Amino acid sequence: MKISRVNASAATMLDPTAGVWNEVESQQFAMVPTPLKGNPAIKAISPFIERSTDHGTIRQLSAAGMHNGTEVALRLSWRCAKNSEIADLDQFVDGVAVMYPLAVASSAVTMGAKGAPVNAWYWKANTPTEGFDVVAEGYGSSERRPGADTELTCEAVHDGESWHVVLRRPLDKGNRYTQFNLGSGHKIAFGVWDGGNRERAGRKSFSGEFMLIDIEA
Amino acid sequence: MTYAPKGAPKALLKESSRQIANIIDLNKCMGCQSCTQACKNLWTDRPGTEHMRWMNVTTYPGKGYPKDYESMGGGFEADGTASPGALTNMSDVGDNFQFNHADVYYQGKGQSVHLKPSSALTGEDPQWGYNWDEDQGGGDWPNGYYFYLPRKCYHCTNAPCIDACTHNALFKRDQDGIVVLDQDRCHGDRLCIEACPYKAIYYNPVTEKSEKCVMCFPRVEQGIAPACDRQCPGRTRLAGYMDDEDSDMYKLIVEHKVALPLHPEFGTEPNVYYIPPFDSTRAFAEDGSITDEGRIEISVLEELFGPDVGEVVRKLKAERKKRQNNEPSEIMDLLIGRNFWDRFSELTGDPADLDTFSTAAMSDGSDLG
Ligand code: SF4
Ligand code: SF4
């Protein structure tokens, strides 16, 4: 995957239906259910979630990325019925997350580890423009702050079949966790939650270990 | 544990130096819901909590509260394996009925429009609600029966809700063993609700976090009994600490062994105990004469309180017989509770004296709810 340089305004980048998204390459990623059952590290943080077997219904996610020299945006699309409201107490909403390593040794599978944290941008369907900036050092350690704290902004559309979600942030590191260096490589991973299947927390599908991406100069 | 780091082992989160506990005497509960109201007024009058009854009283036999909680799963299997159950929905937890007050009171239609509830979720006639099946009970005519079953969080020693939360939002307070749910750590995943076999945790859709009974910890810290215990006009309640061997509560639970936990087979080691109902209304014989037997089958009580309840009922009946024969019975004296304050050991403080700004939870900066 490549984060391409484009000549587009920040507002255009944020629009998941903008034509500019057709001009950059998008890549399909295979998603798999997170390995919860029989995972001792999961059992330590919750022997209850360790028993989950019916999660991870979403098996494919397509992602594209772009920057305009000041803002970076990712567009994520996946097929899923729309679950965007917690109308009843037993309902969950759809969600998606993009994860980046914050240290050389950071692992996406374990959501980081002590001293090797990961950063994630998290979007959920009932607060579709907000987004959360997450940092984690292992399963169950994630801390969320509102996306507004780091100017992480989202926009989402559901076209009747699929979600198309854009997450956008200034390139500049500032008070943010992840640093993007134009013209060099980066690592990325994805997670997705099917609210209709009561997916939340570790009950999700994910893209496995971090994958290399390029950021166009 | 007072405030363990997120990755702390579950065993640490379940540790406490002391353990607060309760007894509720089911022979004395009259279903007045004073305890329910005391709790509601104190804790669940915020947006998103309308449907919650951290303290609740329903009649047994019945579907209980939340509806059918006994068959929703949760807790542990016999070998200790975690056993996640189902989630409760708005109807199960009694809904948040909306009433047509405006029509009835302010439109001059007081004679033509009747006050009627509608479901907050559907806007339609409610299909279930808190105490929907009140007083239906069980047994065959003419030997029908029911009793009231007040319930709240059991502040379990082996609390599955603590195990379930991947964020370690739930933990026992060191000073009293109260199980609290840290609102800052909660992500609203509701794994705790699946894990609690008593369904004593409720989801707040406004804050998108879960909430539960806090055993009135700001009162407990200042030596004041929880509101539900203190407001009970039936003197059903005893409260205290399990290490206070002089307390009436300790004597009934540990020395006399006449107080039992609800559904011990869930494996959570609850800290609220019940005096089983042993003296239900006497049963009619087939010929219509009144017998000396009660109407509640021991098997019904065994389903609730486990295999020891038959022995407890025998003991309670024998003790009552002693009093009827003018012999002393410490058990009966403890259950009667002639002095209200004896029932609360260290927790006899007056809520009017409560200093609401000096609780430990507030002073250590954590937000416990
Ligand atoms: S009753 Fe439920 S919520 Fe309360 S401590 Fe036990 S498991 Fe946790
Ligand atoms: S206040 Fe006491 S008597 Fe009234 S319902 Fe509650 S436990 Fe029963």
Side-chain angles (χ1 to χ4, degrees), chain B residues 116-151:
Chain B
K116 95 180 187 37
S118 57
S119 162
L121 190 63
T122 64
E124 309 286 326
D125 286 351
Q127 300 302 307
W128 190 261
Y130 180 62
N131 261 311
W132 195 265
D133 59 352
E134 185 168 21
D135 299 356
Q136 286 179 11
D140 293 325
W141 191 88
N143 291 322
Y145 70 90
Y146 63 76
F147 55 89
Y148 294 104
L149 185 54
R151 301 201 321 112

Side-chain angles (χ1 to χ4, degrees), chain A residues 46 51 88-89 124 142 200, chain B residues 6 82 90 164 189-190 208:
Chain A
S46 173
R51 301 214 45 198
D88 205 343
L89 307 176
K124 61 190 178 73
S142 64
R200 74 281 194 189
Chain B
K6 279 199 160 181
M90 186 60 123
D189 295 332
R190 289 162 270 178
E208 296 184 37

Side-chain angles (χ1 to χ4, degrees), chain B residues 153-156 159-161 179 196-198 200-201 212:
Chain B
C153 166
Y154 296 101
H155 299 277
C156 308
C161 56
V179 174
C196 173
Y198 302 100
I201 306 185
K212 65 180 290 300

Side-chain angles (χ1 to χ4, degrees), chain B residues 26 42 88 107 122 140 157-158 190 234 239 266-267 290 322:
Chain B
L26 299 183
L42 261 187
T88 48
Q107 316 258 324
T122 64
D140 293 325
T157 297
N158 184 28
R190 289 162 270 178
F266 292 160
I290 297 173
K322 284 189 197 164

Side-chain angles (χ1 to χ4, degrees), chain B residues 75-76 151-162 170 172 177-180 192 195-201 211-213 268-271:
Chain B
F76 302 100
R151 301 201 321 112
K152 59 176 168 177
C153 166
Y154 296 101
H155 299 277
C156 308
T157 297
N158 184 28
C161 56
I162 294 178
L170 287 132
K172 263 190 188 294
I178 294 174
V179 174
V180 284
C192 54
C196 173
Y198 302 100
K199 300 303 166 205
I201 306 185
E211 299 187 12
K212 65 180 290 300
C213 160
T268 72
E269 299 167 47
N271 284 300

Side-chain angles (χ1 to χ4, degrees), chain A residues 43-49 51-52 86-93 124 126-127 139-144 198 200-203, chain B residues 6 10 51 75 77 81-84 87-90 93 121 160 163-167 187-191 194-195 203 205 208:
Chain A
K43 199 166 182 172
I45 60 152
S46 173
F48 284 84
I49 202 170
R51 301 214 45 198
S52 298
I86 309 174
D88 205 343
L89 307 176
D90 57 354
Q91 288 176 347
F92 295 86
V93 293
K124 61 190 178 73
N126 63 330
T127 52
Y139 294 129
S141 68
S142 64
E143 298 276 358
R144 279 182 196 171
R198 296 187 174 158
R200 74 281 194 189
R203 290 170 52 93
Chain B
K6 279 199 160 181
K10 298 294 182 182
H51 58 279
E77 291 166 15
T81 306
S83 176
L87 286 169
T88 48
N89 65 27
M90 186 60 123
V93 297
L121 190 63
D163 283 343
C165 179
T166 60
H167 299 289
H187 284 203
D189 295 332
R190 289 162 270 178
L191 298 166
E194 287 179 346
Y203 184 64
E208 296 184 37

Side-chain angles (χ1 to χ4, degrees), chain B residues 1-250:
Chain B
M1 186 62 223
T2 301
Y3 209 63
K6 279 199 160 181
K10 298 294 182 182
L12 192 64
L13 300 168
K14 293 180 187 173
E15 265 176 21
S16 68
S17 301
R18 303 190 82 188
Q19 180 61 59
I20 195 170
N22 267 148
I23 292 176
I24 305 177
D25 186 345
L26 299 183
N27 299 283
K28 298 169 85 177
C29 176
M30 54 192 145
C32 67
Q33 309 281 353
S34 301
C35 49
T36 315
Q37 280 304 334
C39 178
K40 193 109 197 80
N41 289 336
L42 261 187
W43 295 111
T44 55
D45 61 351
R46 292 162 288 118
T49 65
E50 297 86 353
H51 58 279
M52 300 181 194
R53 285 99 177 160
W54 295 354
M55 177 73 238
N56 57 82
V57 186
T58 54
T59 49
Y60 194 89
K63 291 188 187 300
Y65 179 86
K67 181 186 173 197
D68 283 326
Y69 74 92
E70 288 168 293
S71 54
M72 292 180 91
F76 302 100
E77 291 166 15
D79 66 357
T81 306
S83 176
L87 286 169
T88 48
N89 65 27
M90 186 60 123
S91 173
D92 297 333
V93 297
D95 211 321
N96 164 26
F97 291 173
Q98 303 297 304
F99 290 85
N100 52 341
H101 290 132
D103 281 355
V104 176
Y105 297 133
Y106 306 117
Q107 316 258 324
K109 292 187 257 174
Q111 297 302 315
S112 57
V113 177
H114 295 287
L115 193 67
K116 95 180 187 37
S118 57
S119 162
L121 190 63
T122 64
E124 309 286 326
D125 286 351
Q127 300 302 307
W128 190 261
Y130 180 62
N131 261 311
W132 195 265
D133 59 352
E134 185 168 21
D135 299 356
Q136 286 179 11
D140 293 325
W141 191 88
N143 291 322
Y145 70 90
Y146 63 76
F147 55 89
Y148 294 104
L149 185 54
R151 301 201 321 112
K152 59 176 168 177
C153 166
Y154 296 101
H155 299 277
C156 308
T157 297
N158 184 28
C161 56
I162 294 178
D163 283 343
C165 179
T166 60
H167 299 289
N168 279 359
L170 287 132
F171 62 96
K172 263 190 188 294
R173 285 158 44 98
D174 181 56
Q175 63 267 53
D176 46 32
I178 294 174
V179 174
V180 284
L181 198 167
D182 178 353
Q183 297 291 291
D184 288 338
R185 284 189 180 180
C186 177
H187 284 203
D189 295 332
R190 289 162 270 178
L191 298 166
C192 54
I193 303 181
E194 287 179 346
C196 173
Y198 302 100
K199 300 303 166 205
I201 306 185
Y202 304 83
Y203 184 64
N204 180 328
V206 173
T207 61
E208 296 184 37
K209 292 166 194 285
S210 301
E211 299 187 12
K212 65 180 290 300
C213 160
V214 294
M215 202 75 155
C216 293
F217 68 81
R219 295 166 61 119
V220 168
E221 282 171 10
Q222 295 179 42
I224 304 166
C228 58
D229 298 330
R230 203 174 187 282
Q231 293 304 111
C232 175
R235 295 198 185 187
T236 68
R237 307 295 186 99
L238 296 97
Y241 293 93
M242 288 305 285
D243 58 9
D244 179 1
E245 299 183 9
D246 295 328
S247 71
D248 287 7
M249 183 194 78
Y250 180 90

